Amino acid sequence: MRSLGCEATGPRLFTRAEALAILKIGETTLFWLQRTGKLRPIRIGSRVLFNASEIERVAARGATLSEAEKGSAAKSRPKERGRLREGATRPTG
């Protein structure tokens, strides 16, 4: 596997879309990998990025999610807030 490596300016960070393409997984799997701590994201403002070394680690070793891990991650999921963006309206009906 070719190293995703560090550039002269620092470690390479990948977006969610890039991580999905590199790992060849779907969005749901990426979500569960994050939720269970098997792939740790870096949050910068509202952006979710992944360090190249984290992606290499998951790609090299793989990561499976047990049903217990999925259940635990689902329980720790924060409740969604009922806020709306400015100018947005709630659907009626």
Side-chain angles (χ1 to χ4, degrees):
M1 174 179 191
R2 149 180 103 77
S3 176
L4 301 175
C6 297
E7 296 175 6
T9 60
R12 172 78 163 105
L13 299 176
F14 292 96
T15 65
R16 291 179 52 82
E18 291 169 328
L20 292 171
I22 292 166
L23 293 171
K24 297 179 183 162
I25 58 174
E27 289 182 32
T28 302
T29 303
L30 183 64
F31 170 80
W32 286 113
L33 288 172
Q34 285 181 246
R35 187 61 79 193
T36 58
K38 293 181 186 268
L39 183 61
R40 294 180 300 268
I42 297 170
R43 298 189 192 287
I44 300 175
S46 62
R47 296 186 69 187
V48 177
L49 303 169
F50 299 93
N51 193 320
S53 62
E54 284 286 304
I55 293 174
E56 284 180 350
R57 181 181 52 78
V58 170
R61 294 187 188 150
T64 58
L65 300 171
S66 68
E67 290 302 317
E69 288 174 319
K70 288 180 184 179
S72 175
K75 288 179 187 174
S76 67
R77 182 176 179 184
K79 296 192 181 206
E80 290 185 28
R81 296 186 180 129
R83 295 187 333 183
L84 291 174
R85 290 190 326 242
E86 188 175 328
T89 59
R90 290 195 187 275
T92 58

